[in-house]
Amino acid sequence: MAETTYKTPLLDELEKGAWPSFVKEIKMAAKRSPMANDLLGQLEQSYHEKIGHWKHGGIVGVMGYGGGVIGRYSDLPDKFPGISHFHTMRINQPAGWFYTSEALRKLCDIWERHGSGLTNMHGSTGDIVFLGTRTEQLEPIFEELAKIDFDIGGSGSDLRTPSCCNGMARCEWACYDTMKACYTLTQDFQDELHRPAFPYKFKFKFSGCPNDCVASIARADMSFIGTWRDDIQMDQAEVKKYVDTGLNIQQDVVEHCPGKCMEWNGKELSIENSYCVKCMHCINVMPKALRPGKDRGCMILIGSKAPIVEGAQLSSVLVPFMKMEPPYDELKDLIERIWDLWCEEGKNRERVGEFIQRVGLGNFLDAIGVEPIPEMVAHPRENPYVFYEEYFEEDSGDEEETES
């Protein structure tokens, strides 16, 4: 058992207040883990000096895999020997983050035997994150994880661990089976997940409906957001019940519709579905009266990233509607065409969204063999991707160029 020998007046301040503190959790782990104990000491010193003492990088991992382990070392190994190595391991989480209590106990037992005992459930990519272990412990951890049917996730310039909302498992609005799609693509793209060969990271995230609970539009290079292409299902009797209970249909529903496609005459609600932008607001307000249409699939968007060089960027529409049914051959073919182009022409550490900005979306669409269409909006009511070359060619008459 480790003894807490470090005075931590600055960290102690983070335990005050109403919110849970990571300091409290590290102190609990430090009672039995020398690594967690030295982590407290180094963290207090960093807060005092306003200097980080971690050295990232280095080639660490498990045999056969290039990703999944983030190398981290202390630059004060003599003072804090317990964290001279403090590598992070990313573990592929189950789709929808469903666990049995038995599986969680086995994961935690492995980590207490071979690591600091500190975990992050879940990281921004979605993985189970194991915080802090030594290089020589990586292979034993990997072997024990394999025995309980867990695999390492993605890191570095590879496909990051795909993640999804729990979709049809719990949500009535799911327009496709997010968990099945996530699991299938995870299995089919194992090589891209474990052996970094891309210009930079690439993330999939699957949301079952336009509420986008996993924020895929902001956090994934390729977002899959459930949607429908027929009319919203409506029950006028249930609409009337909402009115009877005090809901102001005109003020709370119609006037908040971004597509301005709804009308309320005091007795009946009507929707011009061709103008609907699938925002889900009306359905969220009146879930018993309105439901997504029956012809369901997903919208595919591309290009979001967190701010690194040129600021944050949301995904824009690539495919307005695609049926999401196994074996997902159409989807996998599209993904591979995008990867082939990006891997061939992308610069080192250039996200696919940045690549599209550099070459232009028109050129990108042409290279992957996707026709530009009006639904490829970058922002509501704005479409910069439709070109009129064919009209110019018609007007040019005899001077029209022929393809060679």
Side-chain angles (χ1 to χ4, degrees):
M1 180 174 294
E3 295 182 3
T4 303
T5 57
Y6 301 106
K7 300 295 184 183
T8 58
L10 296 179
L11 293 179
D12 295 345
E13 290 295 313
L14 297 176
E15 292 186 277
K16 299 176 181 177
W19 299 97
S21 170
F22 70 96
V23 174
K24 179 181 178 181
E25 301 303 320
I26 298 176
K27 285 182 176 178
M28 290 174 61
K31 294 177 182 177
R32 57 184 183 279
S33 168
M35 297 186 79
N37 189 45
D38 277 356
L39 179 64
L40 280 176
Q42 179 171 299
L43 195 58
E44 178 71 18
Q45 183 165 333
S46 291
Y47 273 55
H48 179 72
E49 297 174 345
K50 298 183 174 59
I51 297 174
H53 286 286
W54 293 119
K55 297 186 296 182
H56 292 272
I59 300 174
V60 290
V62 299
M63 289 290 289
Y65 284 26
V69 181
I70 299 112
R72 182 176 289 117
Y73 303 90
S74 170
D75 67 1
L76 301 170
D78 295 334
K79 187 172 183 180
F80 304 108
I83 53 173
S84 56
H85 300 190
F86 200 73
H87 308 317
T88 293
M89 297 188 75
R90 288 182 178 162
I91 313 303
N92 197 328
Q93 80 285 1
W97 297 337
F98 285 102
Y99 300 90
T100 64
S101 55
E102 182 184 12
L104 286 172
R105 289 191 189 96
K106 288 178 178 177
L107 288 169
C108 291
D109 287 346
I110 290 172
W111 198 233
E112 291 204 341
R113 283 196 294 273
H114 299 287
S116 70
L118 295 168
T119 66
N120 176 353
M121 308 286 277
H122 298 82
S124 59
T125 304
D127 308 81
I128 305 162
V129 179
F130 285 174
L131 295 163
T133 191
R134 296 186 59 80
T135 303
E136 62 269 21
Q137 296 294 331
L138 296 175
E139 286 292 343
I141 293 167
F142 179 59
E143 291 177 8
E144 292 198 30
L145 287 169
K147 290 178 182 176
I148 60 170
D149 297 327
F150 275 84
D151 196 4
I152 290 178
S155 70
S157 296
D158 63 6
L159 174 63
R160 299 300 178 83
T161 317
S163 67
C164 64
C165 70
N166 49 28
M168 291 178 172
R170 294 194 65 188
C171 180
E172 60 186 319
W173 306 137
C175 295
Y176 69 99
D177 191 338
T178 54
M179 294 173 62
K180 178 171 284 187
C182 182
Y183 178 78
T184 301
L185 265 64
T186 301
Q187 295 296 321
D188 289 357
F189 292 128
Q190 284 287 297
D191 198 51
E192 288 77 9
L193 181 60
H194 293 312
R195 296 166 187 86
F198 291 166
Y200 202 17
K201 67 182 80 170
F202 195 97
K203 299 179 181 180
F204 292 144
K205 293 192 188 299
F206 300 86
S207 289
C209 79
N211 282 326
D212 195 15
C213 292
V214 297
S216 64
I217 195 171
R219 301 169 60 217
D221 296 87
M222 201 165 190
S223 314
F224 305 92
I225 300 177
T227 188
W228 63 96
R229 58 182 172 184
D230 56 350
D231 295 349
I232 291 176
Q233 300 181 73
M234 183 162 50
D235 185 333
Q236 293 287 359
E238 291 292 339
V239 173
K240 186 175 183 307
K241 288 182 182 178
Y242 279 105
V243 176
D244 293 342
T245 56
L247 179 68
N248 187 325
I249 300 286
Q250 180 64 34
Q251 176 180 308
D252 297 332
V253 180
V254 174
E255 293 180 8
H256 287 174
C257 174
K260 305 301 179 188
C261 65
M262 310 184 80
E263 288 189 2
W264 170 245
N265 62 9
K267 294 181 179 178
E268 285 194 347
L269 181 69
S270 60
I271 302 174
E272 176 51 62
N273 280 276
S274 62
Y275 291 149
C276 175
V277 297
K278 315 291 196 295
C279 75
M280 291 288 288
H281 171 72
C282 60
I283 296 174
N284 291 333
V285 175
M286 300 190 294
K288 292 183 178 178
L290 302 175
R291 303 183 64 81
K294 295 179 179 178
D295 186 10
R296 301 178 181 185
C298 87
M299 179 181 292
I300 301 173
L301 301 93
I302 192 165
S304 68
K305 67 181 183 67
I308 295 179
V309 178
E310 297 182 2
Q313 180 173 306
L314 296 180
S315 290
S316 55
V317 176
L318 178 66
V319 178
F321 186 88
M322 180 182 287
K323 297 294 281 188
M324 287 289 278
E325 296 169 344
Y328 309 103
D329 288 337
E330 184 183 3
L331 173 60
K332 286 184 278 190
D333 177 63
L334 174 65
I335 292 169
E336 288 175 351
R337 278 183 278 145
I338 292 170
W339 283 348
D340 286 346
L341 175 65
W342 178 51
C343 290
E344 183 72 23
E345 304 293 343
K347 296 180 179 179
N348 187 36
R349 297 180 72 80
E350 183 179 50
R351 298 286 286 271
V352 72
E354 296 166 324
F355 169 70
I356 293 170
Q357 283 185 324
R358 179 166 62 85
V359 303
L361 194 107
N363 293 324
F364 175 78
L365 294 176
D366 185 54
I368 64 172
V370 173
E371 289 292 325
I373 55 176
E375 289 85 352
M376 293 176 177
V377 292
H379 312 286
R381 309 299 179 203
E382 179 183 337
N383 184 319
Y385 310 135
V386 175
F387 308 100
Y388 299 95
E389 293 175 2
E390 63 271 31
Y391 300 114
F392 294 137
E393 289 173 359
E394 289 176 1
D395 292 341
S396 62
D398 296 335
E399 296 178 358
E400 182 177 338
E401 295 182 359
T402 57
E403 294 185 0
S404 60

